Amino acid sequence: MSTANIGKVLVVIPTYNELENLPIIVAGVRAAAPDVHILVADDNSPDGTGEVADGLAAKDNSVQVLHRTKKSGLGAAYLEAFQWAKTKGFDVVVEMDADGSHSPADLVKILAALTESDVVLGSRWVKGGRVVNWPMSREFLSRGGNLYTRLWLGIPLKDATGGFRAYRMTAIAKIDVSKVESQGYCFQVDMAWRAVRCGLRVIEVPITFVEREIGESKMNQAIVKEALWRVTQWGLAKRGADLKAILRLS
Ligand SMILES: Nc1nc2c(ncn2[C@@H]2O[C@H](COP(=O)(O)OP(=O)(O)OP(=O)(O)O)[C@@H](O)[C@H]2O)c(=O)[nH]1
Ligand SMILES: [Mg+2]
């Protein structure tokens, strides 16, 4: 696909121990969208993913690597990558996992949808979206977490926790990402909620999410707890602010 109508696109791929997956996803992205640039944001993976990324970058000018010193969570890696994208003059930044769950074919759909919006979320839970090879427990967690987020925060999004999405850099500037503190996949909810509150045009497009076949998931209980805790706090703060506004009016 050509990205001429949306400007210069950077696909950020955060990695922690994705040695075998990384070359596959980089090749897939380059083939599906030859115009885009790729930034691998590696947290000093003990398995040598950072060196593999350097090897890919040496062979391809469109691939670059951000070496970070230690594992500090997905949110921190993305925030540094957004800053990098800003200094390099990119117009669009995409978040994409290295583990094969996010397909290059869906990347093309997400970028196409950006012509009509500021933020595009790849969504597993809108009509046409689906997950492949997920155990019931993961599906329950994701559907439940998203339902809670939608109802408690009052945002019209079916998949606010998903990690396959594109932002215009103008949207990143408006969101004021310096205030985002979330680490795990709560980072995604944080960003989506801020985008909606800023009045940005946020749309969801259906994706097919495939459970990773190689390597280990970094999902853990702490990540789920952080999301539950922060979303609950944000909802309470919102209700407090609404109540104050009502009292002021009466
Ligand atoms: N740089 C960096 N990347 C990370 C970190 N944690 C996870 N990642 C990467 O972020 C992406 C998503 O992580 P996963 O472990 O697949 O987590 P997930 O997709 O939420 O969970 P699963 O559905 O179980 O795979 C992968 O590309 C990981 O390598 C981190 O602390 N730093
Ligand atoms: Mg994954």
Side-chain angles (χ1 to χ4, degrees):
M1 84 167 297
S2 163
T3 54
N5 54 347
I6 49 172
K8 229 174 120 189
V9 177
L10 181 71
V11 174
V12 180
I13 305 179
T15 53
Y16 192 75
N17 288 348
E18 302 288 1
L19 187 68
E20 290 176 74
N21 285 317
L22 185 64
I24 302 170
I25 193 70
V26 168
V29 169
R30 299 290 291 124
D35 291 350
V36 310
H37 291 246
I38 295 174
L39 179 69
V40 179
D42 184 66
D43 276 10
N44 204 2
S45 299
D47 73 349
T49 302
E51 288 85 79
V52 169
D54 284 338
L56 295 169
K59 282 188 285 180
D60 185 342
N61 285 338
S62 303
V63 179
Q64 274 162 290
V65 190
L66 188 61
H67 289 284
R68 294 164 43 78
T69 49
K70 64 175 175 46
K71 182 163 173 21
S72 319
L74 205 61
Y78 273 131
L79 290 180
E80 191 176 341
F82 293 165
Q83 189 55 37
W84 191 95
K86 187 178 165 194
T87 58
K88 304 283 178 189
F90 282 93
D91 301 298
V92 171
V93 70
V94 177
E95 302 177 358
M96 188 170 186
D97 287 356
D99 60 359
S101 293
H102 299 155
S103 86
D106 285 335
L107 169 66
V108 172
K109 285 200 323 195
I110 287 173
L111 289 176
L114 202 60
T115 53
E116 307 284 319
S117 57
D118 302 305
V119 180
V120 179
L121 310 184
S123 179
R124 295 158 292 191
W125 309 126
V126 290
K127 194 164 177 278
R130 62 191 197 107
V131 294
V132 177
N133 289 343
W134 248 15
M136 283 283 281
S137 56
R138 273 310 292 272
E139 179 159 345
F140 181 76
L141 183 67
S142 180
R143 281 187 184 274
N146 273 297
L147 184 64
Y148 178 58
T149 301
R150 184 159 82 248
L151 297 179
W152 185 237
L153 297 183
I155 50 175
L157 299 173
K158 295 269 173 65
D159 194 351
T161 61
F164 194 12
R165 40 177 77 179
Y167 298 90
R168 288 181 186 276
M169 286 305 289
T170 49
I172 295 282
K174 212 167 169 196
I175 287 171
D176 189 4
V177 292
S178 66
K179 301 230 169 68
V180 176
E181 288 173 10
S182 311
Q183 292 294 312
Y185 68 34
C186 184
F187 172 76
Q188 307 298 6
V189 183
D190 204 336
M191 290 288 292
W193 195 43
R194 284 171 195 272
V196 169
R197 280 185 299 161
C198 284
L200 293 165
R201 296 169 302 167
V202 183
I203 60 171
E204 292 183 276
V205 302
I207 59 162
T208 298
F209 178 101
V210 184
E211 174 62 332
R212 67 158 74 235
E213 287 177 1
I214 312 169
E216 277 170 28
S217 169
K218 281 100 217 168
M219 254 283 277
N220 56 34
Q221 269 198 16
I223 287 176
V224 177
K225 276 189 194 151
E226 184 202 21
L228 192 61
W229 173 238
R230 284 193 195 267
V231 170
T232 301
Q233 277 187 318
W234 295 334
L236 285 172
K238 178 175 182 278
R239 275 157 189 76
D242 290 349
L243 192 63
K244 264 192 201 154
I246 291 166
L247 290 175
R248 259 201 307 274
L249 282 177
S250 61

